[in-house]
Amino acid sequence: MQLSPDKTPPPALSPAHLAAWRAFLTAHTVITRALERELIASHHLPLAEYDVLVQLQEAEDGSLRMAQLADRVLLSRSGLTRLVERLERSGLVRRTACPSDARGYFAVITDLGLARLQEAAPHHLGSVSSHFAKPLQDDQIETLRLAMEKLVAAVPTGCASALPDSDLEETTRQAGDLAP
């Protein structure tokens, strides 16, 4: 057990809190694994690659700086670099130098990337509906949305980016290959 700087143990979680935490982790893992399997089976597109294409498609001009993209897809910068390299080899993304920063690069979705995303999106969104939306009633969806927004808002700004890349990537992997 970690002690806080003032040597007091952290507060214990109640059985209800622990059960909710475990249910959250299990639901995330089970659903994202199912989405990954289905997306690969139907479109040979891993969930992380789909997420990168979505983030780029939604960005202004279809491009984001690599650091911005890493934050949006919750991958380490080195993990994102490898992923973007794969997407670039497949012709789905291209990298361009940042004119204002010689060290910076943009990831840009290509026409082929847009076409691949448009082909995969209906099936993927159907899977999201099947595994996430349909099992819940509308009021449960709204309650869940509000609860998740409250949890995100309660985390101090910059906590995830303060982790070393390897720790963030490992945390993400352990949480069930985090993806959209």
Side-chain angles (χ1 to χ4, degrees):
M1 174 188 321
Q2 286 289 132
L3 293 180
S4 64
D6 65 359
K7 307 292 187 226
T8 59
L13 292 174
S14 72
H17 289 129
L18 281 174
W21 172 244
R22 289 179 179 140
F24 165 76
L25 289 176
T26 300
H28 177 269
T29 300
V30 168
I31 291 169
T32 55
R33 286 180 181 169
L35 295 173
E36 172 94 10
R37 275 191 312 274
E38 292 172 14
L39 197 52
I40 288 172
S42 63
H43 298 281
H44 307 289
L45 189 64
L47 201 50
E49 291 181 10
Y50 179 90
D51 187 22
V52 166
L53 294 176
V54 166
Q55 297 304 323
L56 290 174
Q57 183 264 329
E58 291 179 348
E60 186 176 330
D61 299 326
S63 69
L64 288 169
R65 287 185 66 118
M66 292 291 286
Q68 292 172 306
L69 184 56
D71 289 341
R72 289 187 185 192
V73 297
L74 301 176
L75 285 174
S76 69
R77 287 178 179 44
S78 62
L80 177 69
T81 298
R82 290 188 300 272
L83 179 59
V84 168
E85 286 171 355
R86 283 195 311 270
L87 289 168
E88 194 171 29
R89 283 192 301 269
S90 299
L92 304 177
V93 167
R94 73 178 190 284
R95 283 186 289 180
T96 61
C98 176
S100 63
D101 178 2
R103 298 172 297 147
Y105 282 89
F106 286 93
V108 182
I109 192 166
T110 63
D111 289 341
L112 182 60
L114 278 172
R116 186 83 183 272
L117 180 62
Q118 290 170 347
E119 177 186 300
H123 183 269
H124 177 65
L125 294 175
S127 293
V128 171
S129 178
S130 175
H131 298 302
F132 178 77
K134 284 184 181 176
L136 300 172
Q137 297 173 354
D138 288 345
D139 64 322
Q140 292 173 312
I141 290 286
E142 181 64 8
T143 300
L144 181 60
R145 181 188 65 79
L146 292 170
M148 294 299 110
E149 288 175 359
K150 192 170 191 173
L151 289 173
V152 170
V155 176
T157 304
C159 278
S161 61
L163 288 173
D165 282 349
S166 59
D167 289 350
L168 180 58
E169 191 168 14
E170 178 64 13
T171 301
T172 300
R173 186 193 62 73
Q174 288 177 353
D177 300 320
L178 196 60

